[in-house]
Amino acid sequence: MIDLHSIRFRLSAILGVAIILLLSGLVLFLNSEIRDVNEREETKKLQNTTLLIKNLVAQTDDILRHQTDNWSSAFRTGLGTNFSLDESTKTPSLKLNNVVLNGRHAEVDAFSSGGQGNVATIFVKSGDDFERIATSVKKEDGSRALGTTLGRNHPGYSALIAGQIYSGKAKLFGRDYMTKYEPILDSKGKLIGLSFVGIDIKSSLDFVKQTIKQVKLGETGYVYVMDAAGENAGTLVIHPTQEDKNISGAQDSNGNYFIKSMLEKRNGTIVYPWLNKEAGETRPRDKIAIFAEYKDWNWIIAAGSYSDEIFSLADRVKSLLLEATFVVTISMLLLLVYYLNRVVIAPMKDLVQVSRNIAEGDLSMDIDSTRKDEIGKVLHSMHQMLVKLRQIIGEVRTAADNLT
């Protein structure tokens, strides 16, 4: 039975509590430091992933622009430069070598006949806009997109109306193109129309999509891309399961519109609670997303995952540290109990026995007082007391004998 009042129990309890407090403090400190390092490293990986994808898109964009420049140069070389404008009709007539180009598709069809899905268009300047008068661009019903205007909402309108070149990615009647618009000038340098070339970039976009979809972050994390401008803002361009879905109105578990926040900030980091009901989850978990804008394509690229998946190293280390703390605490307590028994408790038992023997009048014992610690000093004092008692008793006996 354990004696709660014994020195052994009290010392063991004090040392045990001290060890637990010391190791617990060490565990908390190490866990905090490891978590900080883990979060910094994993966040940096997400940032690097986003940057790598952004660079991939930028390189693809650069290659496609270069190809479009070459095709546009070939188209303009084939057309020549002798353009003029007849404004006597409702829709001005654009002429090449005095041949009216309105409704004439020979040039644009010849360009598109080379295959690869490339298209071309000739615009005439009509007032403050540009109207398609010859095109190989087909609408969804298969008819040519004639009579339609560029529109002032076109991203290149300001540059083009000022007589400058514009190039960029565009979606025309459901198909993606890398486009280039060049001004058409008359002999006096007056802006009278535009030439347009678009190269089909479906295969290039498919490659980018497949590459992005292969990126895995943690157990369930992934990279996704969404439109960032216009009426399509928030529409998923690239996503493992929800492409073409508009998620601009998505709310996290706290009711915050986190996608709208991303669309407003364009670049940054966002952490939000998310409950994945489709996966059967019953409680929300924090998600982290690092996002960056690729402005030339009006894309926002985001790399995201659940925080507990990518920061799991700190949790695993915490569990290991707690287990190690338990094992070390038990081991040290056993070692300390053994040490206390051997170095303190056993000698104190001997000391108690010596005191008991002296109290019972047994002065014949020998006391080992060679120890140099406090117990040794007590034993040495008791040895001296025992010697003194023997001397006194001896003197008393001698005196008694003399009296008789």
Side-chain angles (χ1 to χ4, degrees), residues 94 100-107 122 132-135 144 146:
L94 184 66
V100 176
L101 295 177
N102 297 47
R104 176 185 170 89
H105 305 297
E107 289 78 10
I122 298 175
R132 294 177 177 87
I133 58 172
T135 184
R144 297 179 188 269
L146 285 173

Side-chain angles (χ1 to χ4, degrees), residues 26 208 323 349 378 394:
L26 180 62
V208 171
E323 293 173 4
K349 284 183 178 180
V378 173

Side-chain angles (χ1 to χ4, degrees), residues 186-395:
D186 62 13
S187 58
K188 297 179 180 180
K190 180 183 177 182
L191 178 64
I192 58 175
L194 301 173
S195 67
F196 159 87
V197 164
I199 65 171
D200 191 330
I201 58 174
K202 182 180 183 302
S203 60
S204 297
L205 288 182
D206 286 344
F207 171 77
V208 171
K209 287 183 178 181
Q210 292 306 315
T211 302
I212 291 176
K213 287 180 180 180
Q214 290 174 7
V215 177
K216 299 297 180 184
L217 305 169
E219 295 179 14
T220 60
Y222 51 86
V223 177
Y224 59 96
V225 178
M226 59 184 173
D227 271 325
E231 61 183 14
N232 291 324
T235 298
L236 292 168
V237 180
I238 303 173
H239 190 275
T241 60
Q242 301 185 64
E243 278 185 13
D244 298 325
K245 180 179 179 180
N246 191 294
I247 59 170
S248 60
Q251 295 175 271
D252 63 23
S253 298
N254 292 334
N256 298 317
Y257 292 90
F258 65 97
I259 294 296
K260 287 184 178 179
S261 178
M262 293 170 67
L263 291 171
E264 290 172 0
K265 294 180 179 178
R266 305 308 233 196
N267 298 275
T269 302
I270 189 169
V271 179
Y272 57 94
W274 183 254
L275 177 61
N276 190 348
K277 295 181 180 178
E278 296 177 356
E281 295 182 356
T282 57
R283 62 179 183 83
R285 292 191 291 162
D286 280 347
K287 262 193 165 185
I288 181 172
I290 308 293
F291 55 98
E293 178 186 24
Y294 186 68
K295 194 170 183 178
D296 287 345
W297 285 13
N298 283 320
W299 277 10
I300 288 181
I301 302 164
S305 179
Y306 284 110
S307 300
D308 57 8
E309 291 181 6
I310 61 175
F311 300 151
S312 59
L313 174 62
D315 294 328
R316 291 198 299 269
V317 170
K318 181 181 179 180
S319 298
L320 290 174
L321 287 174
L322 289 174
E323 293 173 4
T325 299
F326 177 78
V327 173
V328 171
T329 300
I330 297 300
S331 300
M332 291 186 71
L333 282 175
L334 291 174
L335 182 63
L336 285 169
V337 168
Y338 172 78
Y339 181 80
L340 285 171
N341 282 334
R342 185 176 179 84
V343 178
V344 178
I345 304 303
M348 290 189 71
K349 284 183 178 180
D350 294 339
L351 183 59
V352 171
Q353 186 61 44
V354 168
S355 300
R356 183 177 291 122
N357 290 342
I358 293 174
E360 293 175 352
D362 182 5
L363 304 179
S364 62
M365 69 187 71
D366 290 326
I367 299 176
D368 180 12
S369 60
T370 58
R371 295 170 62 106
K372 303 300 182 182
D373 55 12
E374 287 75 4
I375 295 177
K377 292 178 181 179
V378 173
L379 288 172
H380 179 69
S381 298
M382 294 190 72
H383 174 72
Q384 290 179 325
M385 182 184 69
L386 190 58
V387 171
K388 192 69 174 177
L389 285 173
R390 288 172 182 171
Q391 181 182 349
I392 293 172
I393 292 174
E395 291 175 354

Side-chain angles (χ1 to χ4, degrees), residues 72 75 108 111 119-123 135 137 172 177-182 194-199:
S72 181
F75 181 58
V108 294
F111 174 80
V119 293
T121 298
I122 298 175
F123 292 82
T135 184
V137 177
L172 301 175
Y177 294 94
M178 180 58 70
T179 66
K180 185 171 184 179
Y181 297 79
E182 293 189 58
L194 301 173
S195 67
F196 159 87
V197 164
I199 65 171

